[in-house]
Amino acid sequence: MEILIITADGSHTVYVPELKEHYHSVNGALTESDHVFIKNGFDYCKADPVNILEIGFGTGLNAFLTALKSSECRKTVNYTSVEKHPLPFSLIKELNYPSLAGGNGQEIFDAIHLARWNTFCSINDFFNLKKISLDLVSSPLTGSYEIIYFDAFGPDKQPGMWSREIFEKIASVTVKGGILVTYSAKGEVKRNLRACGFEVSLLPGAPGKRHMIRAVKI
Ligand SMILES: C[S@@+](CC[C@H](N)C(=O)[O-])C[C@H]1O[C@@H](n2cnc3c(N)ncnc32)[C@H](O)[C@@H]1O
C-alpha cells in the first residue's frame, strides 16, 4: 500500500513500504526531477522534435514537467513512458504537483493521467504522450529516441532493472548521440552502461546526491 509523503521542497513523493523505497528523493522530489531530467536531459538535447523514452511513469512527475517545458520552449515532444504497476488514480489526484506549478498545471496533469494507455495522445500543442503498460524485464522495447529518462527504483532495491540486459534493450532504441540521464551514479551502473555502448559522464547530483549520470550513445 503506497503512502504519500512531503519531501524537503514541499512536493509529494510516494513511499512503498514493501520495498522500503521512495519514488523520488526525500530531499525534494520536484527539485530532483527538474535537476536530473529537465535541466541535464531535456535542456541539454537540441533535437526538435524530440523523442523521449521514460523508464517508470510512476506519478507522472517527469512527464508533467516535460509537458510544461515543451510549451514554454515551443518544442514538439513525443514522450513514451513505460510502467509495470500504474498507481491508483485515488492517490494520483492527491499529488500536489499541479498546485505547485500553478498556471494551467492542473489541466495538463489531469490530461496526462486521464490519457489512454498504449496509444499516442495529444496533451497540449507541443506534447504527445504514449503511456505503455509493460514489464521492461520481460518485454522488448521499440522505437527510436534521442533522450532516455531512466527512473527505475534504486539499484539496491531493484538490481535487475539496472542490468546489462536492460541497458542493451535501451541502447538498441537510442539514436547515436542520444542521451540517457539518471539519478544514480553507482559504479555498476556506469560499468553496465559502458558495456552497452554509452560514454558515461558524472554531473553534480540533485540535493543529497553527489553525482548523477548523463550517458551518450556512441
Ligand atoms: C522511481 S519510480 C518512478 C518515478 C516516476 N518517474 C515518477 O516521476 O513518479 C520507479 C517506477 O518504475 C516502475 N517499474 C518497476 N519495475 C518496472 C518494470 N519491470 N517495468 C516497467 N516499470 C517498472 C515502478 O512501478 C515505478 O513506477
Side-chain angles (χ1 to χ4, degrees), residues 21-24 33 37 54-63 79 81-87 97 134-138 151-154 158 161 166 183:
E21 178 76 322
H22 296 89
Y23 271 54
H24 311 92
S33 181
F37 300 106
E54 175 180 39
I55 305 304
F57 176 72
T59 63
L61 175 58
N62 296 332
Y79 193 101
S81 187
V82 303
E83 176 56 59
K84 184 179 176 188
H85 296 299
L87 286 166
Y97 308 140
L134 168 154
D135 179 351
L136 184 59
V137 174
S138 55
D151 201 10
F153 287 127
Q158 233 191 347
M161 285 291 280
I166 293 289
Y183 63 87

Side-chain angles (χ1 to χ4, degrees), residues 7 10 33 42-43 45 47 63 95 108 117 122 130 137 151 156 176 181 195 200-201 203:
T7 66
S33 181
F42 185 86
D43 289 351
C45 174
L95 290 166
I108 300 293
W117 286 76
S122 169
K130 186 180 186 181
V137 174
D151 201 10
D156 296 336
K176 197 169 171 227
V181 275
V200 175
S201 302
L203 306 175

Side-chain angles (χ1 to χ4, degrees), residues 92-104:
I92 293 289
K93 65 183 173 42
E94 299 301 321
L95 290 166
N96 65 3
Y97 308 140
S99 58
L100 292 173
N104 67 343

Side-chain angles (χ1 to χ4, degrees), residues 68-186:
L68 297 179
K69 190 79 195 194
S70 69
S71 38
E72 185 191 314
C73 61
R74 304 181 72 77
K75 174 149 126 173
T76 297
V77 177
N78 300 312
Y79 193 101
T80 301
S81 187
V82 303
E83 176 56 59
K84 184 179 176 188
H85 296 299
L87 286 166
F89 194 67
S90 53
L91 185 136
I92 293 289
K93 65 183 173 42
E94 299 301 321
L95 290 166
N96 65 3
Y97 308 140
S99 58
L100 292 173
N104 67 343
Q106 189 68 56
E107 191 189 318
I108 300 293
F109 194 69
D110 290 347
I112 284 172
H113 284 287
L114 295 173
R116 282 177 59 200
W117 286 76
N118 304 313
T119 186
F120 264 110
C121 300
S122 169
I123 303 298
N124 65 27
D125 288 351
F126 296 95
F127 191 78
N128 304 306
L129 172 67
K130 186 180 186 181
K131 299 182 286 186
I132 304 182
S133 164
L134 168 154
D135 179 351
L136 184 59
V137 174
S138 55
S139 313
L141 286 170
T142 56
S144 179
Y145 305 93
E146 288 86 20
I147 307 181
I148 312 295
Y149 290 173
F150 194 82
D151 201 10
F153 287 127
D156 296 336
K157 304 289 176 173
Q158 233 191 347
M161 285 291 280
W162 303 77
S163 63
R164 277 191 198 187
E165 290 73 18
I166 293 289
F167 289 136
E168 260 158 25
K169 281 186 200 185
I170 290 174
S172 73
V173 295
T174 307
V175 302
K176 197 169 171 227
I179 58 168
L180 177 151
V181 275
T182 190
Y183 63 87
S184 175
K186 218 182 160 194

